């Protein structure tokens, strides 16, 4: 007598998923549960205020009286205001100078402090401290250093050289460059860490081959080091561009935009418009313009980076 084995019953749509599929779905949900609090905070305190600012930029904001739609008038008024036009020039000068100076100084620091010695690790930690110190605190320290009499730290050094006290923050001709020096000091260590990460990935055999060929230090930097750390440099350049356009705290703490508006940048003008003159619509329009310019430059830099990597 031959035994017959019954055919397996067909699986339903739920059964076809099987235990592996259900486990996969569970694993996919768990990370989102951990991200949910952060995403909620970002939505409430970042993205919603950002969207609200874009909305208010089209209105004449009148508290207790009702907002009045004015379209692009706020943008027209901001872009044609001569104080904002002057602020554009100051922002570009400060942003470019601060970014270039911080990148160059960060690169030099990375070359000097590269290595695995314990003493170098301690030095890197000490050098990195300005990047993790509150900018407002750093600004107050530099304000003391820039004290305009011979009792100030920098002016006392100049006094030893026979030079008179310099009005670093009260002279319209040099106040912007004094602020730039502080910005370079703050952000150079941050750039140094990123460049150090790029230097760690450089193939050491290339250095050995270059040494055997008798190339100079400059040629080694130009043909070996710089091409190898190009991705790190592009990251540094992108971050520096964003910081340069959004510079605010350094200027606000040191000079507040003075003297005589010589250090007024885009963000300090928007702050003054919104919180001093209570022109919320104009300040929102100025912030949206800055957001659009920042996005445009970021996209452009990323496009150039990808185009360079494709070559």
């Amino acid at each position: 007598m031959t035994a017959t084995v019954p055919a397996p019953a067909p699986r339903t749509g739920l059964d076809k998923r099987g235990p592996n599929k259900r486990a996969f779905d569970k694993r996919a949900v768990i990370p989102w549960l951990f991200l949910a609090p952060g995403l909620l905070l970002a939505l409430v305190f970042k993205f919603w205020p950002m969207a609200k600012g874009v909305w208010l930029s089209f209105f004449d904001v009148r508290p207790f009286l009702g907002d009045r739609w004015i379209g692009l008038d706020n943008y027209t008024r901001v872009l044609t205001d001569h104080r904002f036009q002057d602020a554009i020039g100051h922002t570009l000068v400060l942003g470019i100078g601060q970014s270039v100076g911080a990148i160059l100084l960060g690169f030099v620091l990375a070359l000097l402090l590269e290595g695995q010695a314990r003493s170098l690790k301690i030095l890197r930690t000490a050098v990195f401290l300005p990047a993790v110190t509150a900018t407002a605190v750093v600004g107050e320290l530099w304000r003391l250093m820039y004290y305009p009499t011979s009792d100030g730290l920098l002016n006392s050094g100049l006094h030893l050289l026979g030079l008179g006290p310099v009005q670093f923050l009260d002279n319209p001709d040099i106040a912007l460059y004094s602020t730039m020096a502080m910005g370079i000091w703050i952000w150079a260590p941050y750039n140094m860490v990123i460049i150090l990460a790029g230097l760690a990935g450089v193939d050491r055999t290339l250095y050995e081959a270059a040494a055997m060929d008798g190339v100079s230090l400059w040629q080694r930097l130009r043909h070996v080091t710089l091409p190898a750390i190009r991705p790190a440099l592009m990251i540094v350049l992108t971050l520096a561009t964003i910081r340069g356009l959004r510079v605010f705290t350094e200027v606000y703490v040191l000079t507040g935009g003075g003297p005589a508006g010589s250090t007024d940048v885009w963000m300090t003008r928007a702050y003054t418009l919104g919180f001093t003159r209570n022109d919320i619509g104009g300040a929102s329009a100025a912030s949206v313009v800055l957001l659009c310019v920042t996005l445009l430059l970021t996209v452009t830099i990323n496009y150039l980076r990808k185009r360079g990597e494709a070559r």
Side-chain angles (χ1 to χ4, degrees):
M1 183 175 182
T2 305
T4 59
V5 179
R11 294 183 177 182
T12 62
L14 182 62
D15 294 332
K16 289 181 179 179
R17 297 174 57 186
N20 292 334
K21 184 64 176 179
R22 288 193 294 271
F24 173 78
D25 291 344
K26 186 177 180 181
R27 289 195 301 268
V29 170
I30 289 177
W32 288 104
L33 294 178
F34 284 101
L35 290 173
L39 294 176
L40 181 60
L41 291 175
L43 177 64
V44 174
F45 294 104
K46 184 175 182 179
F47 296 110
W48 171 249
M50 185 184 301
K52 187 67 174 180
V54 175
W55 175 257
L56 292 177
S57 66
F58 299 103
F59 287 86
D60 177 17
V61 181
R62 302 179 299 177
F64 308 110
L65 298 177
D67 300 340
R68 182 169 60 90
W69 173 271
I70 57 175
L72 298 177
D73 288 354
N74 284 326
Y75 292 92
T76 303
R77 180 161 51 86
V78 165
L79 295 176
T80 56
D81 187 354
H82 70 91
R83 287 166 296 188
F84 270 101
Q85 293 174 355
D86 293 339
I88 292 175
H90 299 155
T91 303
L92 292 177
V93 171
L94 183 60
I96 293 174
Q98 181 174 292
S99 300
V100 173
I103 291 174
L104 292 178
L105 182 57
F107 180 68
V108 172
L109 290 174
L111 293 177
L112 293 175
L113 300 179
E114 182 190 12
Q116 297 299 325
R118 185 174 183 179
S119 59
L120 290 178
K121 295 180 180 179
I122 297 175
L123 285 175
R124 284 197 294 264
T125 302
V127 170
F128 188 68
L129 287 178
V132 296
T133 305
T135 308
V137 176
V138 175
E140 290 298 329
L141 292 176
W142 276 75
R143 180 191 288 274
L144 296 175
M145 292 171 57
Y146 282 145
Y147 198 70
T149 67
S150 57
D151 297 331
L153 178 61
L154 295 180
N155 277 320
S156 62
L158 294 176
H159 181 71
L160 295 177
L161 300 176
L163 302 176
V166 178
Q167 306 293 321
F168 289 101
L169 301 179
D170 297 328
N171 188 342
D173 296 329
I174 63 174
L176 187 66
Y177 301 101
S178 301
T179 307
M180 185 186 302
M182 187 189 78
I184 293 173
W185 186 81
I186 292 175
W187 295 112
Y190 186 86
N191 297 337
M192 176 198 71
V193 172
I194 299 177
I195 295 174
L196 278 173
L199 290 174
V202 179
D203 189 357
R204 300 298 163 178
T205 59
L206 297 177
Y207 288 146
E208 297 174 0
M212 294 179 62
D213 292 338
V215 300
S216 63
L217 176 61
W218 166 248
Q219 290 175 329
R220 187 176 68 176
L221 288 176
R222 180 181 178 184
H223 299 289
V224 178
T225 305
L226 289 178
I229 65 172
R230 183 179 297 174
L233 289 177
M234 294 305 299
I235 293 174
V236 168
L237 180 60
T238 302
L239 296 176
T241 301
I242 297 173
R243 287 196 305 263
L245 291 175
R246 297 172 55 187
V247 59
F248 172 75
T249 310
E250 299 94 316
V251 177
Y252 185 77
V253 173
L254 278 183
T255 65
S262 59
T263 61
D264 219 0
V265 294
W266 191 270
M267 283 296 295
T268 57
R269 283 304 311 159
Y271 178 87
T272 301
L273 200 62
F275 293 95
T276 301
R277 300 188 177 183
N278 202 28
D279 187 357
I280 304 300
S284 299
S287 301
V288 172
V289 171
L290 181 61
L291 174 64
C292 294
V293 173
T294 303
L295 289 175
L296 179 62
L297 287 178
T298 304
V299 171
T300 302
I301 292 175
N302 286 330
Y303 170 76
L304 295 176
R305 176 181 61 83
K306 293 180 180 180
R307 186 176 178 182
E309 292 176 353
R311 291 180 181 180

